[in-house]
Amino acid sequence: MQKYSVFSLIKNAFSDHQNWEVAWKDPTPKKEYDVIIIGGGGHGLATAYYLAKEHNITNVAIIEKGWIGGGNVGRNTTIIRSNYMHDDNALFSEFGMDLWRKMSQDLNYNVMFSPRGIINLAHSDAQMNAYSRRGNSMRLNGIDAVLLNREEVQKRIPMADFSDNVRFPIFGGLMQPSAGTARHDAVAWGYARQADSMGVDIIQNCEVTGFDVTNGKIVGVRTSRGDIKAKKVGLCVAGSTNILAEMLNMTLPIETHLLQACVSEPVKPLLDHVVTFGAGHFYCSQSDKGEMVMGGDLDGYNSYSQRGNLPTLQHVLTEGIAMFPFLSKLKMLRTWGGIMDMSMDGSPIIDKTHIDGLYLNCGWCYGGFKATPASGWTFAHTIAQDRVHELNAGYSLNRFNTGDLIDEKGLGTKTWIS
Amino acid sequence: MLYIFCPHCGSRSQNEFAYGGDATVKRPELNKEISDQDWDNFVYLRKSPRGKHLELWHHISGCRQWIKVERDTSTHEIFKTYKADELTE
């Protein structure tokens, strides 16, 4: 594989950048693989990469219905954080933060990781107390957390509404300085390029139509490009998990819901951090191109359509304007939607299943992007060793039977209001 | 914008409604011995199909009645709506 560096850039400039190697190949599927990963999104690509890198398993195929990076890894708002209170989420995410910090070097691909800090705004004394508790829990788990008062928040985001007559005055906020953003497409491409170079077959435009299970053991998958045998199969298809589960006669604690995001026209740099509104559900950051990247609530009903409805967008942006009044002056550049696995406790599932050789990675709700490296790393471990790693032991499928739920938000099973 | 036909009020915009989830989930019968597993399945497991989905909506800013809506989860087309106690096809 050609290494990307300033020297290769200069060298290729002499030939008008016409002779760069392709970043990944377009192979035809082989008859059989050791491991098949279904889903060529961030998590699937990362899983294949860590299978090859950490476990020397390279006879691997990634099967993707569309094109890699065309699903949620290309549709998110690129936020990376580990500001969780519960141990399972906190330790998992913080492990991921470490992988994020090393990712550009590790993949030899600039993923533009930008640890610009995330601020969760508080709008009441009670919320300040809750954030203080969450911050302390984070610090006990070795995660950086700073409780900011109103003046400290105002210094960092003076454009927020600090006037006297607001419905939700800003009391302060909880900041995780090491949180940030990364270039989402680069994450997919970086993992794809490295996985490909280590022998992983990335098979695009290949839809799974069924599974071959014999005596409770997975033996292969049926696809639109023919049957492929496999010793192990991993599902990494957030948004479409229920469709594949139905082919396996499995019913999961997951509903598929629609989430929208949007960006404004680009403006000069003004917002240094990722900021979330504490009196509703709205988050905002500024991209390197200058666009304000915004998102919020789910559309609120089961959906597999990757396009949203205006009432939710209006609701979310109303909250945005309450937080940052200047947003009302900006034109909207793009809006889009993606479909999420909403799990019944708001936390993901990375586990074995009752079918031998079949592994499940799903239920990311709308926190999937930041989890990409840690999810891939732990899922690769679970597949390669046929047992869960301690980092994903809490993300078990049977926690809904044992009662060991990880209900970070405590919202219950009404997935559509989370 | 979804327009939902409320069997009590007629066609109204989605802004008047609150979603109530899968209407096919059946609560285990009262006073009947059931396993923990069955109870967990009722609480947590959802089919979440792509295509036709029978779901509950609450006409919260209208007549405040719960209704059942048969809707396509990939196209958002609404086929039919029912009163809450009406039998569905």
Side-chain angles (χ1 to χ4, degrees):
Chain A
M1 187 185 65
Q2 198 173 21
K3 195 168 159 30
Y4 291 163
S5 69
V6 65
F7 303 109
S8 66
L9 191 65
I10 293 166
K11 192 180 132 208
N12 277 279
F14 286 111
S15 52
D16 255 357
H17 297 290
Q18 297 301 306
N19 297 322
W20 286 99
E21 262 179 31
V22 290
W24 53 87
K25 297 176 281 293
D26 185 21
T28 29
K30 290 192 273 185
K31 287 264 174 294
E32 185 170 0
Y33 290 94
D34 290 338
V35 180
I36 289 178
I37 304 293
I38 303 172
H43 291 218
L45 293 162
T47 304
Y49 168 69
Y50 291 113
L51 274 173
K53 181 175 176 242
E54 305 284 340
H55 305 279
N56 281 323
I57 301 174
T58 55
N59 186 20
V60 176
I62 294 171
I63 295 179
E64 166 56 45
K65 179 175 70 174
W67 64 95
I68 61 163
N72 292 338
V73 72
R75 293 166 186 266
N76 57 74
T77 44
T78 76
I79 298 165
I80 293 160
R81 59 186 178 85
S82 60
N83 52 358
Y84 285 100
M85 193 167 80
H86 286 282
D87 288 352
D88 289 302
N89 287 334
L91 296 171
F92 180 89
S93 304
E94 187 56 15
F95 176 77
M97 292 301 293
D98 213 35
L99 295 175
W100 278 114
R101 285 186 273 268
K102 295 185 283 203
M103 189 180 289
S104 290
Q105 298 301 323
D106 192 26
L107 297 180
N108 178 229
Y109 206 103
N110 186 4
V111 300
M112 296 161 76
F113 176 54
S114 160
R116 58 184 68 182
I118 185 168
I119 299 173
N120 303 124
L121 294 181
H123 307 273
S124 67
D125 283 328
Q127 205 167 12
M128 283 299 281
N129 287 343
Y131 279 163
S132 157
R133 181 181 176 218
R134 170 138 69 106
N136 283 329
S137 302
M138 288 164 62
R139 291 169 77 128
L140 285 172
N141 278 324
I143 302 165
D144 55 330
V146 186
L147 196 65
L148 306 174
N149 63 26
R150 180 177 161 95
E151 287 68 38
E152 288 166 329
V153 172
Q154 189 162 16
K155 215 169 3 168
R156 286 176 170 82
I157 48 166
M159 74 296 280
D161 196 346
F162 285 95
S163 54
D164 293 331
N165 290 314
V166 289
R167 173 69 182 83
F168 300 109
I170 295 168
F171 276 55
L174 181 66
M175 183 171 188
Q176 185 191 1
S178 67
T181 60
R183 174 89 174 95
H184 51 187
D185 296 318
V187 175
W189 299 334
Y191 274 124
R193 174 167 162 269
Q194 284 294 345
D196 175 88
S197 79
M198 289 189 282
V200 172
D201 280 359
I202 298 172
I203 300 160
Q204 304 178 72
N205 300 308
C206 179
E207 184 173 0
V208 169
T209 54
F211 293 87
D212 285 322
V213 180
T214 314
N215 298 327
K217 190 180 173 358
I218 195 96
V219 291
V221 295
R222 276 170 257 157
T223 78
S224 56
R225 293 174 68 175
D227 295 356
I228 310 172
K229 282 198 169 62
K231 295 186 186 76
K232 294 176 175 179
V233 174
L235 261 56
C236 257
V237 291
S240 302
T241 308
N242 285 303
I243 298 169
L244 292 190
E246 199 188 343
M247 296 176 191
L248 291 155
N249 290 322
M250 287 168 76
T251 313
L252 296 172
I254 285 173
E255 278 184 347
T256 303
H257 282 271
L258 171 63
L259 179 69
Q260 297 188 72
C262 56
V263 295
S264 75
E265 60 183 328
V267 287
K268 287 190 173 179
L270 80 155
L271 179 59
D272 295 335
H273 310 289
V274 181
V275 183
T276 74
F277 185 53
H281 199 173
F282 175 81
Y283 41 88
C284 186
S285 63
Q286 190 171 20
S287 75
D288 296 318
K289 287 179 281 184
E291 305 148 332
M292 307 306 292
V293 186
M294 301 172 282
D297 284 311
L298 296 172
D299 266 39
Y301 41 81
N302 291 46
S303 178
Y304 284 90
S305 98
Q306 287 173 316
R307 67 192 157 81
N309 248 327
L310 282 175
T312 305
L313 205 56
Q314 186 181 27
H315 172 74
V316 167
L317 290 172
T318 305
E319 295 173 41
I321 290 164
M323 184 169 94
F324 288 149
F326 76 91
L327 288 177
S328 68
K329 306 283 186 231
L330 296 182
K331 291 188 181 72
M332 188 75 79
L333 192 64
R334 284 193 306 278
T335 79
W336 65 95
I339 51 175
M340 319 281 123
D341 279 2
M342 298 305 295
S343 72
M344 291 290 156
D345 63 353
S347 297
I349 296 160
I350 308 178
D351 203 358
K352 298 161 67 171
T353 64
H354 69 285
I355 298 169
D356 203 13
L358 183 78
Y359 305 85
L360 195 57
N361 181 336
C362 62
W364 289 98
C365 299
Y366 33 60
F369 176 68
K370 67 170 174 297
T372 304
S375 164
W377 195 94
T378 52
F379 196 41
H381 180 279
T382 305
I383 293 171
Q385 314 273 333
D386 194 37
R387 62 185 165 87
V388 296
H389 189 270
E390 62 178 25
L391 282 169
N392 64 313
Y395 293 159
S396 67
L397 181 55
N398 77 349
R399 70 176 183 269
F400 298 94
N401 295 119
T402 60
D404 299 313
L405 302 181
I406 311 170
D407 47 352
E408 189 76 31
K409 289 190 187 168
L411 282 170
T413 59
K414 305 272 183 291
T415 57
W416 53 91
I417 57 170
S418 48
Chain B
M1 178 81 81
L2 299 179
Y3 284 94
I4 300 172
F5 185 85
C6 171
H8 308 281
C9 313
S11 179
R12 299 297 177 93
S13 87
Q14 75 180 84
N15 293 332
E16 294 188 11
F17 294 84
Y19 186 63
D22 192 334
T24 63
V25 176
K26 270 218 159 59
R27 193 179 198 277
E29 273 180 54
L30 274 178
N31 302 324
K32 203 179 144 199
E33 205 52 42
I34 63 154
S35 66
D36 287 351
Q37 180 87 42
D38 286 339
W39 188 258
D40 296 336
N41 292 352
F42 154 69
V43 176
Y44 296 116
L45 300 193
R46 300 289 182 272
K47 286 235 175 327
S48 190
R50 179 172 60 179
K52 272 192 185 177
H53 187 235
L54 190 70
E55 55 205 20
L56 292 165
W57 287 77
H58 190 190
H59 197 184
I60 186 103
S61 304
C63 62
R64 301 186 66 82
Q65 295 295 310
W66 284 91
I67 61 168
K68 284 188 273 195
V69 176
E70 193 176 46
R71 188 180 58 91
D72 192 305
T73 57
S74 54
T75 64
H76 296 171
E77 182 184 357
I78 293 172
F79 304 105
K80 208 169 171 191
T81 56
Y82 305 85
K83 292 177 184 170
D85 58 353
E86 213 174 326
L87 287 178
T88 50
E89 280 155 24

